Each structure stands twice: as structure tokens, then as C-alpha cells.
Amino acid sequence: MAKVLPSLLAGDFSKLGADIKEMEAAGADIFHLDIMDGQFVPNISYGIPVCEAIAKEASIPLDVHLMTYDPTQFVDDFKNMGVAMLSFHIEATPHAHRAVQLIKSKGMKAGIALNPQTSVEAVRHLLNDIDFVLIMTVNPGFGGQSFIDSCVDKLDELVKIRENLTNKFDIEVDGGINDKTAELVKAHGANLLVSGSYLFKADDKAAVISALKE
């Protein structure tokens, strides 16, 4: 069964605490936080103080996706607030392996994120060390975009590579996830599903989360 990760970027920033409690009651497994610096992606989201407030309010794990340059500068901050999963983009640092080791040394799961244009081959050297791969199925930086079908090929590549590794990393998908695309990516090996607009706009969030998991 897949796990569902509501993307808080799609929530109502004027009542994030209420949104967090509603999603937890509806059966969410993990909260997904997109951190944007306005440089690596053309947008700015929330910073460390807001993340700290979310961490205090949430009772389920946090998955932080760094869409920032120099991702290691934030590792201690997220470790201190109890973040469970931390991912960054291969293009964001010339020392990706060092960043993975740093994240893991702090007791967090380390993930590597792939933009739609980034190949699986670009991160192959990390696949025996990371805990999860985050496949972006939209161009990062904005919510509410349409799913890019060609990204599904990366899921197949990852599953094939994983079969020959001792490290059985998770596969996370973020971007345009709804009832139809969820079925598609699960069929191709994804087990962590990030959902933003589709989930937050749902009238019956519990029913939607349940359907996404199955």
C-alpha cells in the first residue's frame, strides 16, 4: 500500500494548523514541505520559522524537499525540528554524496530529487546510499501543474536498477498526482505519493487519501 504525503504548499497559509489537523484526521501518512529559495526555482515558499511551527503542530513525520542551492546549509535546522526525510536536487551541489552522508549522519532519511529534465543516470552513483528518490512529474517551483507523462519512464528505470541493488530505496512522486495519475505511478513502482491541489480541494479528504493509498 502506498503512503500519501499532503503537500502543505497547497494548504491555506492563514490556517495551516487547522489544515494539518484535518489531514492527519483524514489519514495522511507524512507531510511534504517544499522549500524554495527563488534562485534554484523561480519562487519562494516558507522559511525555517514557518517549518518550525509546522513541526510543532504536526504529529506525523515531515518530508522536506529542498529546491535550493547549497542544501547542506539547512541540514542542522531540519534535524533540530525532527524532520524525518530530507531531499535535495543533484544540480544544487557539486558534492551530492557528501550531502547524502551528512543528512544520514543526522538521523534523517536522505533523498535525491530529479527534475523532469534530469536523467536517472545522473544519480545512479547515489542509489546504493540514498533512502528514497523523488521523481518530479511537473517542473518544480509552482503548484497546480499538469502531470508530465514521460517521467513515468524514470520509475521503470529505477525499479530495474533497484532489483540489482541491496539497497531497496523508496520511490516518491510529486506533481499532478490525482486519482488517475496515482494509479499510473503506483503501477510503475512508486510507493510515496505527494498530492497538493487535488487533495486540498477535495470535499472528502479521507476518501481521497484512502483511494490514493490502495
Side-chain angles (χ1 to χ4, degrees), residues 1-207:
M1 181 176 287
K3 292 184 177 180
V4 174
L5 294 71
S7 176
L8 291 178
L9 194 64
D12 184 341
F13 280 22
S14 71
K15 58 179 186 70
L16 273 182
D19 279 355
I20 286 169
K21 295 308 179 188
E22 182 180 21
M23 287 297 177
E24 289 178 348
D29 297 292
I30 302 166
F31 284 121
H32 183 84
L33 282 71
D34 289 309
I35 309 302
M36 308 177 190
D37 63 358
Q39 300 297 315
F40 187 76
V41 292
N43 205 351
I44 295 174
S45 59
Y46 26 64
I48 296 300
V50 174
C51 293
E52 288 174 339
I54 290 170
K56 290 176 182 177
E57 193 72 19
S59 59
I60 61 175
L62 300 181
D63 166 39
V64 171
H65 172 200
L66 295 175
M67 288 178 268
T68 67
Y69 286 111
D70 190 15
T72 57
Q73 65 182 306
F74 303 111
V75 169
D76 282 334
D77 290 310
F78 289 115
K79 180 259 184 184
N80 291 337
M81 66 180 77
V83 165
M85 302 166 63
L86 186 62
S87 62
F88 63 95
H89 286 259
I90 190 72
E91 298 90 350
T93 173
H95 305 293
H97 186 268
R98 182 186 301 168
V100 167
Q101 295 303 313
L102 176 62
I103 293 167
K104 294 179 76 168
S105 75
K106 302 296 182 177
M108 293 179 284
K109 290 184 177 181
I112 192 72
L114 277 70
N115 285 329
Q117 72 177 26
T118 308
S119 68
V120 170
E121 196 60 34
V123 301
R124 182 187 281 265
H125 64 292
L126 296 173
L127 296 181
N128 242 335
D129 297 294
I130 48 82
D131 297 293
F132 64 104
V133 179
L134 170 56
I135 298 296
M136 294 301 299
T137 45
V138 297
N139 291 295
F142 298 92
Q145 299 179 67
S146 297
F147 185 89
I148 300 173
D149 295 282
S150 60
C151 294
V152 173
D153 293 341
K154 294 180 187 178
L155 303 180
D156 294 333
E157 288 184 66
L158 287 169
V159 168
K160 187 174 182 179
I161 293 171
R162 188 174 60 184
E163 289 173 353
N164 298 311
L165 298 180
T166 55
N167 180 39
K168 304 304 181 184
F169 53 83
D170 291 311
I171 300 176
E172 180 175 353
V173 175
D174 180 9
I177 295 299
N178 55 36
D179 55 341
K180 294 179 177 61
T181 56
E183 292 305 312
L184 176 63
V185 298
K186 286 187 291 185
H188 287 264
N191 65 314
L192 301 174
L193 308 182
V194 178
S195 184
S197 303
Y198 173 71
L199 180 52
F200 276 90
K201 291 178 180 178
D203 292 327
D204 189 341
K205 294 176 175 57

